């Protein structure tokens, strides 16, 4: 701020008289006065210009809905529609065989973890094309697991869990409950 004050003081100083003989004396004085006005105008516009805001294109807006205090988001897995439960406690994104599509294998059901909180199950780690709002991941690792138990427990159709592996790719994750949007900032 001190630098700007010094610049403003310099800009407001009256120009020194230039001793030039001849018809151009008045022209030189007017030019110096005009330059001083231009400097003042530039400084005023500098102070009145708002600070730059973050580029909104760096934010992914993911609409969500709630069911029994759970946050549900719509996603696409290998071009199949999927409803994922936002689970900040899940290390990895988990999808059902149905949501994954073309799953030619048997996976056991998800069940209660006897050794602590949460659920357990045998899963297959596969790669999938994954989309959330306007953000797309190509060949993103997901875990394919039968999540029918989640649907039974929560009473709402769930095709998987959106885990930390996706959320940690963003600098900031904000949940706006009023507008029902999750803001994922790059």
């Amino acid at each position: 701020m001190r630098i700007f004050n010094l610049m403003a003081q310099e800009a407001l100083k009256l120009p020194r008289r230039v001793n030039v003989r001849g018809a151009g004396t008045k022209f030189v004085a007017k030019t110096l006065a005009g330059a001083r006005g231009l400097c003042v105008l530039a400084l005023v516009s500098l102070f009145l210009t708002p600070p730059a805001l973050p580029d909104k294109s760096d934010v992914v807006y993911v609409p969500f809905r709630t069911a029994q205090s759970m946050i549900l988001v719509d996603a696409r897995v290998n071009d199949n529609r999927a409803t994922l439960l936002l689970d900040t406690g899940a290390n990895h994104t988990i999808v059902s065989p149905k949501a994954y599509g073309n799953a030619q294998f048997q996976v056991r059901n998800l069940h209660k973890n006897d050794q602590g909180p949460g659920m357990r199950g045998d899963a297959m780690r596969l790669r999938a094309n994954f989309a959330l709002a306007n953000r797309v991941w190509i060949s993103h690792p997901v875990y394919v697991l039968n999540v029918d138990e989640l649907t039974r427990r929560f009473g709402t159709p769930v095709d998987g869990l959106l885990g930390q592996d996706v959320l940690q790719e963003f600098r900031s994750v904000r949940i706006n409950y009023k507008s029902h949007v999750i803001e994922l900032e790059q």
Side-chain angles (χ1 to χ4, degrees), residues 30-141:
K30 284 183 181 178
T31 303
L32 290 175
R36 179 182 56 161
L38 207 62
C39 286
V40 169
L41 183 63
L43 286 172
V44 167
S45 68
L46 178 69
F47 288 118
L48 294 179
T49 304
L53 296 174
D55 185 9
K56 291 295 182 186
S57 66
D58 286 350
V59 178
V60 177
Y61 296 96
V62 181
F64 73 86
R65 62 189 180 283
T66 57
Q68 298 181 20
S69 301
M70 296 176 302
I71 295 176
L72 301 172
V73 297
D74 290 326
R76 293 195 77 72
V77 180
N78 291 334
D79 223 18
N80 298 313
R81 296 178 87 179
T83 299
L84 302 180
L85 172 67
L86 177 68
D87 188 351
T88 58
N91 292 332
H92 306 285
T93 296
I94 298 170
V95 298
S96 70
K98 178 183 151 222
Y100 184 82
N102 293 336
Q104 303 291 330
F105 48 85
Q106 294 287 340
V107 288
R108 288 186 14 203
N109 284 346
L110 190 65
H111 56 276
K112 186 175 178 341
N113 184 2
D114 297 331
Q115 299 172 352
M119 310 276 293
R120 288 185 76 136
D122 295 327
M124 294 191 68
R125 185 174 187 255
L126 301 171
R127 295 196 168 271
N129 295 335
F130 179 75
L132 203 56
N134 63 343
R135 176 71 189 267
V136 177
W137 289 263
I138 304 296
S139 192
H140 182 74

